[in-house]
Amino acid sequence: MNAVLSGSARSADGTVALTVGPGGVLLALEIRNDALAMGGRHVADTVLTLTRIATAEMAHRARQQLRDELAGLPADALAALGFPDENAELAEQVESTVPLTWRDL
């Protein structure tokens, strides 16, 4: 397994980008002046949304790595390890942010 799992997300307009580690801990944050011009509420909402998306991406990667390492582990065992079933909406958002080259096709 990778030493540090992370997930990243970028706003559609590219003005805010961030990377989170396990548990959603913020590892990197980039906020362009364009985003600041839209006001604090906009920036805060964008950061929270991107944090949820990046955390879901990181959790998805962790689940995949765990499944690879522990082939055949049932879903309830993964949930007991702190990886509950993914929220379908967040999983869909993650898929839309993951480059095609990273996806299992």
Side-chain angles (χ1 to χ4, degrees):
M1 280 201 259
N2 291 340
V4 177
L5 284 170
S6 66
S8 298
R10 178 176 298 277
S11 62
D13 62 5
T15 61
V16 179
L18 56 79
T19 301
V20 299
V25 71
L26 196 58
L27 299 175
L29 175 62
E30 177 187 339
I31 302 173
R32 292 185 16 204
N33 287 335
D34 301 7
L36 295 175
M38 292 183 226
R41 172 52 69 190
H42 170 76
V43 172
D45 289 344
T46 301
V47 167
L48 289 174
T49 297
L50 294 178
T51 299
R52 285 192 300 271
I53 293 168
T55 301
E57 175 188 333
M58 187 277 315
H60 178 73
R61 288 181 183 176
R63 286 178 72 94
Q64 286 180 327
Q65 285 186 1
L66 274 176
R67 282 194 177 126
D68 290 348
E69 292 293 321
L70 305 170
L73 190 66
D76 59 339
L78 284 174
L81 291 171
F83 296 98
D85 288 336
E86 295 175 56
N87 177 300
E89 181 180 339
L90 284 179
E92 192 172 301
Q93 288 176 349
V94 167
E95 273 300 310
S96 70
T97 65
V98 174
L100 288 175
T101 56
W102 294 3
R103 296 182 188 180
D104 295 329
L105 298 175

